[in-house]
Amino acid sequence: MSPLLELVAVHKAFSPNEPAILRGIDLSLAPGESLALVGESGCGKTTLGKLITDLHQPTAGKVLYKGQDLRTMTKKEYQAYRLKVQMIQQDSFAALNPYKTIFHSLQAAMRKHGFAKDQNEARRKVHGLLADVGLFPTEQFIDKYPHQLSGGQRQRVLIARALSVEPELIVADEPVSMVDVSLRISLLKLLRRMNQKYGISFVYITHDLATARYISDRGKLLVMYLGEVMEVGDIRQATNHSNHPYFRALVAAVPQGVANRQYTVPDLPLKGMDIPDIKQLPTGCIFHPRCIYATEKCHMQKPRLIQQGAAEVACFHLNEIEESFQ
Ligand code: SF4
């Protein structure tokens, strides 16, 4: 199946005098497949989300949608891409116009792009969308203003708004981080249901590894550190067996009490908790200042992603590390 989305050797720098915030990112997503993008704050995952939605453009490399480079699309193709790739933001209050009712917020794009021919059809469809995202009874929500809803309800409205233009890919940037903990899993399960029901691909950006596995049962998990990919693999296998020392440390940091935790790796200490300054990137493997397995080679050379079981991992010493746990 040809990819829905591809990133080829993508670099992104915001200033020519500073190191690129993203370096050498390759990524491929099939139609209906989802991706959980995890990493600490400042690792570049939000920037990557904005490159996928073309809110930022790469300094080098390409972003392709259905095999076409965004920069060489015709105007018509680009408009279709912008419609088919939607973004759900973290702050649902800022993302919704406080002076517009939920109906007006949801019907605007629908009417503009011909998904509803008149008000009556738009209203019928908005009722359907609200039902789809679990806002029952829909009559109680459709004419409300954003401030009359809870954070979790507003986030569901944002999901409904993204769905209103029949997208093929939704980029969700920390969509549950501002929602009460008790509601997070139900919102992620809603995204997963939309993936299964409509075949929509999701890119779920999060610093919270514990929630990543709820986004999809078919897809990838990509671990970023300081603007580079450390590990990418099947989401189910990756959350059960991590390879890269950084990913192992992230998994070890997930609280033992998290429901459904199936991780089996022992705790793994880091040399230090401080993330290096992006302006002074370490030589060789960028993780070496924090890695307890770092050798001379790690200081000097940058590891490439290599196949390790079902995953691809950027580390020189995977076999030795694996043996040390046996
Ligand atoms: Fe650690 Fe070396 Fe592997 Fe980097 S390449 S993660 S420093 S062992």
Side-chain angles (χ1 to χ4, degrees):
M1 198 186 292
S2 51
L4 181 69
L5 175 81
E6 282 173 281
L7 271 65
V8 183
V10 162
H11 287 248
K12 177 65 184 174
F14 288 104
S15 156
N17 307 319
E18 290 180 4
I21 193 158
L22 293 174
R23 297 171 307 283
I25 308 287
D26 292 311
L27 178 65
S28 173
L29 202 63
E33 194 177 41
S34 292
L35 171 78
L37 197 56
V38 299
E40 290 161 294
S41 299
C43 72
K45 53 193 191 306
T46 292
T47 304
L48 190 53
K50 289 184 174 174
L51 287 168
I52 293 169
T53 48
D54 207 34
L55 296 173
H56 290 326
Q57 288 74 45
T59 317
K62 291 178 189 173
V63 179
L64 298 102
Y65 190 72
K66 294 185 172 175
Q68 283 191 280
D69 187 339
L70 300 189
R71 297 283 76 82
T72 58
M73 283 179 169
T74 63
K75 192 174 172 192
K76 200 172 164 195
E77 287 165 345
Y78 184 74
Q79 282 171 344
Y81 149 80
R82 287 302 296 253
L83 202 58
K84 292 295 172 192
V85 180
Q86 292 290 311
M87 188 152 194
I88 298 172
Q89 286 144 357
Q90 183 178 24
D91 186 351
S92 60
F93 206 68
L96 289 166
N97 186 331
Y99 302 109
K100 300 230 163 145
T101 64
I102 301 310
F103 170 67
H104 280 101
S105 288
L106 263 62
Q107 62 101 43
M110 211 188 274
R111 292 289 305 276
K112 183 177 172 197
H113 297 288
F115 291 97
K117 62 180 185 307
D118 56 32
Q119 286 281 100
N120 286 342
E121 187 179 8
R123 202 158 174 93
R124 192 170 47 76
K125 287 198 164 182
V126 170
H127 274 294
L129 285 166
L130 293 177
D132 237 2
V133 299
L135 291 173
F136 296 114
T138 56
E139 298 76 27
Q140 280 189 15
F141 296 97
I142 195 164
D143 294 316
K144 287 214 164 128
Y145 289 88
H147 74 271
Q148 295 174 301
L149 305 184
S150 69
Q153 289 167 343
R154 280 197 302 273
Q155 209 61 29
R156 285 174 190 266
V157 170
L158 288 190
I159 296 169
R161 188 171 70 177
L163 293 174
S164 72
V165 292
E166 301 177 10
E168 293 170 334
L169 170 64
I170 292 179
V171 178
D173 187 3
E174 304 270 14
V176 296
S177 63
M178 293 174 76
V179 174
D180 196 76
V181 175
S182 60
L183 297 172
R184 287 181 186 173
I185 299 304
S186 69
L187 276 169
L188 291 171
K189 285 186 172 170
L190 170 63
L191 297 184
R192 183 176 169 138
R193 207 168 67 240
M194 297 299 107
N195 167 257
Q196 289 164 343
K197 186 172 176 183
Y198 298 114
I200 301 168
S201 296
F202 282 90
V203 174
Y204 169 52
I205 299 171
T206 184
H207 65 280
D208 181 6
L209 183 63
T211 61
R213 61 192 297 275
Y214 287 96
I215 191 68
S216 177
D217 56 359
R218 190 173 87 83
K220 292 175 181 158
L221 185 133
L222 185 145
V223 182
M224 286 186 70
Y225 181 73
L226 274 179
E228 293 178 16
V229 177
M230 299 289 107
E231 178 159 347
V232 57
D234 175 86
I235 201 159
R236 281 168 302 182
Q237 291 189 29
T239 49
N240 286 327
H241 184 89
S242 48
N243 293 286
H244 193 279
Y246 173 61
F247 188 21
R248 286 176 183 262
L250 282 185
V251 170
V254 174
Q256 295 286 340
V258 169
N260 293 321
R261 178 174 163 164
Q262 295 173 11
Y263 314 129
T264 52
V265 296
D267 286 355
L268 180 85
L270 293 169
K271 265 190 204 162
M273 295 309 289
D274 295 333
I275 304 172
D277 186 347
I278 188 94
K279 292 177 185 161
Q280 292 176 326
L281 283 175
T283 56
C285 172
I286 51 164
F287 188 57
H288 86 251
R290 298 173 77 191
C291 181
I292 57 167
Y293 301 102
T295 61
E296 198 61 30
K297 183 179 181 183
C298 308
H299 288 241
M300 311 293 291
Q301 295 177 36
K302 185 178 283 297
R304 291 171 180 273
L305 285 170
I306 53 161
Q307 202 72 39
Q308 178 79 359
E312 286 180 83
V313 190
C315 176
F316 292 124
H317 299 303
L318 288 171
N319 291 338
E320 297 98 297
I321 294 167
E322 195 64 42
E323 279 165 17
S324 74
F325 284 112
Q326 285 165 5

